[in-house]
Amino acid sequence: MLRAAYTSYIGTGHLFKWGLALLWLVGCQRDVSVPSPLKPHALQPGRFLVVLQGAVTDTLEGTARFRQDTSGVVVVDLSGQPDNRRGLSLEWSSAQADTLEAVRRWIAGPSSSAFVVGYLDWPPYTFVTEAGSLVLIERSRTDRVVATFRLALGALDRRTGEPLEVEAIGSFIAIPVSEK
């Protein structure tokens, strides 16, 4: 009887240790940031690559152009090819930070804050930024903007009113709109 109690105690101790180890591993995985699998250095100037997952699953490639409007907002248009109706537009005001965090936004147009705002045109829906970040790798030159990003985008299904979600992971090397 004493031996059975000892064996039960040891078994419970092992179970407790393995449980703690498992909780520690789960906690570590939550803290690790997942780098973007897309390297901007592999792209030609004026090009982009975006992987979409969720309500829309696809890989978009195409042209990347940027412009700056009179209010200082930088707009990067990523137009898909061969279907240029599908693409992503990113907007942010001229902030000094190299990493811009996106926040939940259900808005019809650009925001005046320093946060990145994204719009994914995927007819018949336009997905809008909910969360994510954009890392500016190069933007001091006037002839190109280089960045990687990871955005959570959302839209509402017009028939059912259900939320549709897309994660966009991508990179671009955008050249000015005036260049061909």
Side-chain angles (χ1 to χ4, degrees):
M1 178 144 165
L2 184 61
R3 183 176 203 152
Y6 178 75
T7 304
S8 175
Y9 174 75
I10 294 297
T12 303
H14 285 295
L15 182 62
F16 180 74
K17 287 179 189 177
W18 281 108
L20 284 178
L22 183 60
L23 286 174
W24 179 76
L25 286 173
V26 169
C28 287
Q29 288 182 348
R30 244 186 313 170
D31 292 341
V32 175
S33 63
V34 179
S36 172
L38 308 172
K39 303 287 185 223
H41 307 294
L43 299 174
Q44 295 296 317
R47 304 292 296 171
F48 78 92
L49 179 63
V50 181
V51 176
L52 302 172
Q53 302 168 356
V56 173
T57 304
D58 203 350
T59 300
L60 286 175
E61 295 181 71
T63 60
R65 304 270 193 258
F66 78 92
R67 55 190 153 74
Q68 189 165 359
D69 68 13
T70 55
S71 65
V73 172
V74 176
V75 180
V76 177
D77 292 314
L78 309 177
S79 302
Q81 288 180 342
D83 185 1
N84 61 4
R85 294 180 311 142
R86 296 177 175 173
L88 185 65
S89 180
L90 300 171
E91 305 177 13
W92 66 88
S93 64
S94 52
Q96 297 303 314
D98 289 333
T99 301
L100 302 175
E101 293 295 324
V103 294
R104 184 176 180 86
R105 297 191 186 282
W106 288 100
I107 55 176
S111 169
S112 60
S113 72
F115 295 105
V116 61
V117 179
Y119 307 89
L120 173 65
D121 286 328
W122 200 267
Y125 300 105
T126 297
F127 292 84
V128 181
T129 301
E130 291 186 327
S133 63
L134 180 140
V135 178
L136 292 163
I137 297 169
E138 182 180 317
R139 65 172 170 163
S140 58
R141 297 172 50 171
T142 58
D143 62 338
R144 68 187 201 167
V145 176
V146 182
T148 62
F149 59 90
R150 177 180 223 111
L151 296 176
L153 302 164
L156 292 177
D157 189 315
R158 294 182 184 126
R159 295 167 304 185
T160 64
E162 293 292 319
L164 303 171
E165 296 178 351
V166 171
E167 182 181 36
I169 304 167
S171 63
F172 62 83
I173 300 179
I175 57 175
V177 171
S178 59
E179 292 186 25
K180 291 292 176 189

